[in-house]
Amino acid sequence: MKIIYLDNNATTRIAPEVVEEMLPYLTDRYGNPSSMHTFGGHIHRKIEDAREKVAALINAEPDEIIFTSCGTESDNTALASAVESQPRKRHIVTTRVEHPAVMNFCHHLARKGYRVTFLPVDRQGQMEMGTLLKMLDDDIAIASIMYANNETGVIFPIERICGAMKERGILFHTDAVQAAGKIPIDVKKVPVDMLTISGHKLHAAKGVGALFVRKGTRFHPYIRGGHQERGRRAGTENVASIIGLGRAARLAHRYLYEESSYLSGLRDRLESGLLKSCPDASVNGDRQSRLPNTFNISFAFIEGEAILLRLNEYGICASSGSACTSGSLEPSHVLRAMGVPYTAVHGSIRFSLSRYTTEQDIDAVLSVMPGIIRELRELSPFGRDALTCRTDCANE
Amino acid sequence: MWDYSDKVKEAFLHPKNVGEIADADAVGEVGSIICGDALKLFLKIDKKTDRILDARFQTFGCASAIASSSALTELVKGRTLDEALKISNHDIAQYLGGLPDQKMHCSVLGREALEAAIANYRGKPPMREEAESVVCKCFDVSEEKLRKVAMENHLTTVEEITNFTKAGGGCGECIPKIEAILQDVWSLIPSEKPPRPKRMTNLQKIALIEEIIESEIRPGLQADGGDVELIDIEGSNVSIALRGMCTGCLMADVTIKGIQSKLRELVSNDLVVEAIQ
């Protein structure tokens, strides 16, 4: 069966160009970049080459890029470095919709006695700037606010948020794992202090990430040991993956604008097609400010895992914010923070596209989805009538 | 992806007995849309023989909830009410070739719907009474249900309780209460009680904790430049102080949890380790 992969915010296919670039470093060129001999030294130059390409993607300087093992490590490193380098500051600011890589580290800091503010979002998943401005004080060690949300694709106004932080001299980190390579990021224009990138979300391999640390930012390494990454991240480099990440960053950078309009075109077709063919469906998230490849749609009265497994029968891969798919028993923290009603949270499906998505893929989803939704609704005890009745009863 | 058996997949993709029975003799409704699964069971019953002539369902929920509902209706058809009441959640899971641990609550949902429908038919008040005390507020689970499910399925840990009832899987606030209920349930039935190490005197316990810290815990910490000192033991509370590199270490919480689980494993599983300055 042909796989129709529409779960690219979970992970992406490694670009064939990236594989080609990586292969020699998984076979013949196995040297250690820290070695003195040419066999290893050559690899050191390839890593610096990758660093330049990753830097170019966000308009940074190459020595502002630290390679890590993943997005989570980059996020953890940024937060840990901030608190360690400013021991007197005891307040952390973040949002209620962050990825667990930031959110759970903040919970960890809260248990250690830090005051952590989790900023709310509005019904569209958008930042409430007024609330944010009111929270700012001199005790803040770091504010960490994601660039774009993984579940809804909503893009935060990072330039404005960052401006407010800089006015008060607050250290600012952003998790740009979903944004990097999908929308233009320019750290010369947006003065973030630290920014997280993950390889496997932009067609590089799993197990590699990067952290941008602006020159002049006080930094404490999270992993200590050898002198790799100029002493800022110890451990022998994941050579092939880093070289692959360089190539992936270059590809994303070069085709950013074409890809963006291609993706939003396909995405909009899928979105409007589903809204038209499936009753009681609604889109979650700010459609005015959203990643070009992502959309999150709720089908009322039915449950997301059931939808996913029916889609799975057709080889269609997507994901859901329902409790049953989360591994825990709680449905999506992002949709709940937005105040999406439970009936819609449980029936939420995220589709995320990539440059490898085709029109035929979109057509395939559009052709099977109405049937799946109808069948599952026939199974469900809830429906428009049932719910209306309940509200009426409650009102009496 | 859950590891569903072929029978679960089949029952999910092609469920049997879907829909309403317009003139049903009994209806049982359990769960809610907020909890993420809900089941409505309809029964047609022969009034003379008490035999279930037809059973249909409507379910809001994941694949295993739908499969469990389908299995339930297949299992009850043709049985008398008393026979049907003997069907346990375990029977439903078994009919489906087993359910993943975290999905056992779906089979419990089926069993509850059956009880609710039969109670409805017999004109008994709904299972839930005002006096019942809710333990898990996130998923609205009562103490009575926890006790019942724990006994029927021989559950001894909070994790198992969560798999079967969801209780404790939300905010986690009720976990101490669940622990207390479990302890109480198993102290009532001594023969079913899970094996515990035999009781130690306080002196023996203190000596053992000291020995474990000295031989099992300190060497590991010292290798990383850290250390730990045993300060006091009061009942099941063990006070320790982290020293060296462990002081102010970002991972201190993890270290303390690690020490606690080591002591629970080797000494007594009611120990609580706390760090003091």
Side-chain angles (χ1 to χ4, degrees):
Chain A
M1 184 166 47
K2 184 180 178 276
I3 292 297
I4 296 171
Y5 190 78
L6 300 175
D7 199 12
N8 286 280
N9 285 11
T11 195
T12 59
R13 175 182 176 171
I14 307 186
E17 298 92 329
V18 171
V19 176
E20 195 188 333
E21 192 93 16
M22 288 171 70
L23 272 178
Y25 300 90
L26 294 168
T27 49
D28 300 340
R29 300 184 192 170
Y30 53 82
N32 187 328
S34 297
S35 299
M36 276 301 117
H37 40 71
T38 333
F39 182 60
H42 159 78
I43 289 160
H44 179 73
R45 278 199 298 280
K46 283 296 288 186
I47 286 183
E48 293 315 305
D49 182 47
R51 199 184 307 281
E52 279 171 29
K53 288 171 180 156
V54 173
L57 179 65
I58 56 169
N59 198 20
E61 299 301 319
D63 58 1
E64 292 175 322
I65 300 295
I66 302 171
F67 287 118
T68 65
S69 69
C70 59
T72 297
E73 188 197 319
S74 297
D75 286 339
N76 279 211
T77 302
L79 292 165
S81 167
V83 296
E84 209 179 322
S85 60
Q86 305 162 96
R88 288 212 189 91
K89 297 190 174 177
R90 307 290 293 176
H91 186 190
I92 313 289
V93 171
T94 184
T95 75
R96 287 173 60 189
V97 298
E98 293 299 312
H99 188 274
V102 168
M103 181 163 284
N104 285 338
F105 200 89
C106 288
H107 283 306
H108 169 69
L109 290 174
R111 283 193 293 275
K112 293 183 65 69
Y114 284 85
R115 187 156 61 91
V116 182
T117 301
F118 293 94
L119 292 166
V121 293
D122 64 18
R123 186 66 175 76
Q124 301 301 311
Q126 199 45 274
M127 178 64 61
E128 292 169 345
M129 285 302 286
T131 321
L132 173 115
L133 294 175
K134 264 183 258 160
M135 294 312 309
L136 302 184
D137 60 40
D138 293 335
D139 196 32
I140 298 173
I142 188 165
S144 179
I145 295 176
M146 67 200 328
Y147 216 110
N149 188 272
N150 46 315
E151 291 189 30
T152 58
V154 169
I155 302 168
F156 279 149
I158 290 298
E159 194 163 353
R160 280 177 64 202
I161 295 171
C162 194
M165 299 297 170
K166 289 300 105 186
E167 246 171 53
R168 288 164 183 78
I170 296 167
L171 194 65
F172 184 66
H173 164 255
T174 183
D175 178 333
V177 162
Q178 295 295 345
K182 292 178 195 155
I183 52 172
I185 297 177
D186 184 343
V187 296
K188 296 268 189 318
K189 264 200 226 144
V190 184
V192 297
D193 297 298
M194 292 186 270
L195 179 146
T196 291
I197 291 174
S198 163
H200 74 109
K201 308 281 192 199
L202 46 93
H203 304 289
K206 293 162 187 67
V208 64
L211 179 65
F212 158 80
V213 181
R214 186 177 298 280
K215 242 177 248 173
T217 306
R218 286 174 65 187
F219 183 80
H220 283 245
Y222 193 52
I223 294 186
R224 292 166 191 275
H227 58 269
Q228 293 87 354
E229 299 297 299
R230 300 197 301 140
R232 294 183 295 178
R233 200 281 187 185
T236 300
E237 296 86 344
N238 183 353
V239 171
S241 292
I242 289 173
I243 292 170
L245 176 57
R247 185 83 175 101
R250 181 65 180 271
L251 284 170
H253 192 203
R254 182 182 291 170
Y255 300 111
L256 192 64
Y257 290 94
E258 289 103 303
E259 256 175 32
S260 174
S261 61
Y262 174 71
L263 288 172
S264 58
L266 284 183
R267 189 266 318 266
D268 293 346
R269 207 157 81 85
L270 180 57
E271 187 176 76
S272 58
L274 289 178
L275 287 173
K276 212 177 287 168
S277 61
C278 304
D280 294 307
S282 54
V283 172
N284 300 310
D286 182 2
R287 293 166 84 173
Q288 305 306 315
S289 174
R290 200 165 47 155
L291 293 173
N293 78 319
T294 308
F295 85 104
N296 191 306
I297 185 167
S298 278
F299 300 97
F301 320 126
I302 49 178
E303 203 276 335
E305 189 208 276
I307 303 174
L308 288 185
L309 290 185
R310 289 286 172 110
L311 284 172
N312 191 53
E313 288 299 298
Y314 299 96
I316 298 168
C317 309
S319 70
S320 168
S322 94
C324 283
T325 58
S326 67
S328 75
L329 289 165
E330 289 278 345
S332 158
H333 68 287
V334 175
L335 299 184
R336 279 185 303 141
M338 288 161 60
V340 176
Y342 268 96
T343 131
V345 174
H346 285 300
S348 70
I349 299 289
R350 176 189 71 188
F351 291 102
S352 46
L353 287 54
S354 82
R355 70 173 73 125
Y356 302 113
T357 306
T358 63
E359 285 200 27
Q360 289 76 27
D361 293 343
I362 301 300
D363 289 340
V365 178
L366 285 173
S367 73
V368 301
M369 200 65 166
I372 292 175
I373 300 301
R374 198 176 47 243
E375 277 175 34
L376 288 174
R377 285 210 175 125
E378 279 163 11
L379 279 174
S380 171
F382 304 118
R384 215 183 286 179
D385 303 340
L387 282 195
T388 325
C389 161
R390 282 189 178 199
T391 356
D392 289 349
C393 303
N395 287 343
E396 270 168 20
Chain B
M1 173 68 87
W2 299 109
D3 193 11
Y4 286 132
S5 71
D6 289 341
K7 283 184 183 159
V8 173
K9 283 183 205 157
E10 175 57 27
F12 162 65
L13 291 173
H14 309 287
K16 301 220 166 84
N17 313 314
V18 174
E20 296 178 77
I21 298 179
D23 56 344
D25 298 305
V27 180
E29 205 174 351
V30 289
S32 84
I33 209 161
I34 293 172
C35 299
D37 38 30
L39 199 178
K40 200 169 177 181
L41 177 69
F42 303 85
L43 299 179
K44 190 82 195 137
I45 300 162
D46 180 347
K47 301 211 167 56
K48 281 186 201 132
T49 59
D50 255 7
R51 202 166 285 281
I52 297 172
L53 301 172
D54 195 12
R56 293 184 170 271
F57 77 93
Q58 289 181 319
T59 291
F60 165 86
C62 55
S64 52
I66 291 169
S68 295
S69 310
S70 173
L72 169 71
T73 52
E74 286 290 281
L75 280 167
V76 300
K77 272 205 275 185
R79 296 194 193 219
T80 65
L81 296 182
D82 288 333
E83 284 167 1
L85 275 175
K86 291 200 185 100
I87 296 167
S88 67
N89 66 292
H90 185 72
D91 296 328
I92 297 173
Q94 209 164 32
Y95 183 86
L96 291 167
L99 284 170
D101 286 349
Q102 298 93 327
K103 294 286 187 176
M104 284 304 289
H105 60 83
C106 294
S107 65
V108 174
L109 192 76
R111 160 77 200 182
E112 282 182 340
L114 178 63
E115 277 173 33
I118 294 178
N120 168 258
Y121 176 72
R122 290 180 166 167
K124 285 189 188 157
M127 276 199 311
R128 195 58 169 278
E129 281 166 37
E130 290 296 319
E132 288 196 351
S133 58
V134 173
V135 175
C136 171
K137 288 185 187 122
C138 297
F139 294 108
D140 194 30
V141 185
S142 70
E143 180 169 343
E144 286 70 14
K145 174 170 170 179
L146 289 179
R147 285 176 178 275
K148 190 163 171 291
V149 174
M151 293 218 268
E152 282 175 1
N153 295 286
H154 306 282
L155 310 182
T156 56
T157 67
V158 175
E159 195 188 334
E160 287 171 338
I161 284 283
T162 306
N163 288 340
F164 277 72
T165 66
K166 295 192 178 185
C171 67
E173 210 176 90
C174 61
I175 288 175
K177 276 194 215 160
I178 298 176
E179 279 172 346
I181 291 170
L182 279 175
Q183 215 152 34
D184 191 47
V185 165
W186 295 116
S187 63
L188 289 174
I189 310 167
S191 58
E192 300 271 15
K193 202 171 164 183
R196 285 270 165 87
K198 59 176 196 266
R199 240 185 95 74
M200 279 179 284
T201 66
N202 265 334
L203 269 177
Q204 285 170 326
K205 186 157 85 179
I206 292 169
L208 187 57
I209 290 174
E210 272 184 320
E211 189 208 316
I212 302 291
I213 287 184
E214 210 53 48
S215 63
E216 298 279 346
I217 295 167
R218 288 189 71 199
L221 293 179
Q222 283 166 346
D224 291 332
D227 205 352
V228 64
E229 192 183 326
L230 178 64
I231 305 291
D232 200 2
I233 299 169
E234 220 183 314
S236 57
N237 291 321
V238 181
S239 303
I240 56 164
L242 293 177
R243 300 281 187 238
M245 293 281 279
C246 291
T247 324
C249 166
L250 282 174
M251 302 299 283
D253 273 1
V254 178
T255 309
I256 293 161
K257 277 269 173 322
I259 295 173
Q260 177 170 293
S261 61
K262 195 100 205 166
L263 289 178
R264 282 183 176 185
E265 181 193 339
L266 298 173
V267 184
S268 160
N269 62 12
D270 61 347
L271 292 179
V272 179
V273 174
E274 261 183 354
I276 56 174
Q277 293 303 315

